[in-house]
Amino acid sequence: MGKTSTQLESKANRKFEKKLDFYAKVKDAVSSLGAQKSISKKNKVRSRQKKLKAYDLSTLSAFLPELKAPRQPGPQDELKLNCKSRQKLILKESKQLSTVLSHPAFQLDPLAAIHQHLQSTQPVVEEKPKKKFINKNGSKKKGKKSKASSGPESMDM
């Protein structure tokens, strides 16, 4: 049952050799997986580039008309309120409301004051008058002529 030191050393050497072999195999496997991974990354990059080329619309810009004036940001910027600007807006509007309520014209007749304010500030909307047709008997009707006619009608040019 007694083992000599040479047997123990040879057993230790074999264990060590096995470990080295195992580590070598792991290193080879990791390096081969890394190579495969880099190849697959290259393929993914190539496929992305191909897809991007499919969506490249820069050649169409030559055929499209140029825009005369770019859109300018307008009221959308005012809608983005943070806490400070919201507070400023509330103060400004409350002052405006108090001045309107204390105005003598508003106190006398609020609806007339509002109507007069809207008349002076809003643009005038032009309404197109509707065409009126005259029947044979001389009465005026809005809309289309009646389809039933009793006789030949003269066409004016």
Side-chain angles (χ1 to χ4, degrees), residues 70-155:
R71 293 183 183 174
Q72 296 177 354
Q76 292 175 353
D77 293 336
E78 295 174 7
L79 295 177
K80 297 178 183 176
L81 296 176
N82 57 16
C83 190
K84 267 188 180 178
S85 60
R86 187 177 291 120
Q87 288 295 330
K88 286 180 182 179
L89 181 65
I90 290 171
L91 288 174
K92 177 184 166 190
E93 291 295 326
S94 62
K95 286 178 185 176
Q96 183 70 23
L97 179 64
S98 63
T99 51
V100 167
L101 291 175
S102 65
H103 195 275
F106 184 81
Q107 288 176 349
L108 288 176
D109 190 7
L111 292 178
I114 292 171
H115 180 72
Q116 193 246 342
H117 171 72
L118 290 175
Q119 290 292 326
S120 63
T121 57
Q122 298 296 317
V124 178
V125 179
E126 295 179 16
E127 293 184 20
K128 295 180 180 177
K130 295 181 180 178
K131 294 182 179 179
K132 296 180 181 179
F133 297 99
I134 302 173
N135 289 346
K136 283 184 177 180
N137 58 7
S139 66
K140 296 180 180 179
K141 285 190 175 179
K142 294 180 182 177
K144 295 183 179 180
K145 291 182 181 178
S146 63
K147 290 185 180 179
S149 61
S150 60
E153 297 176 2
S154 64
M155 287 181 64

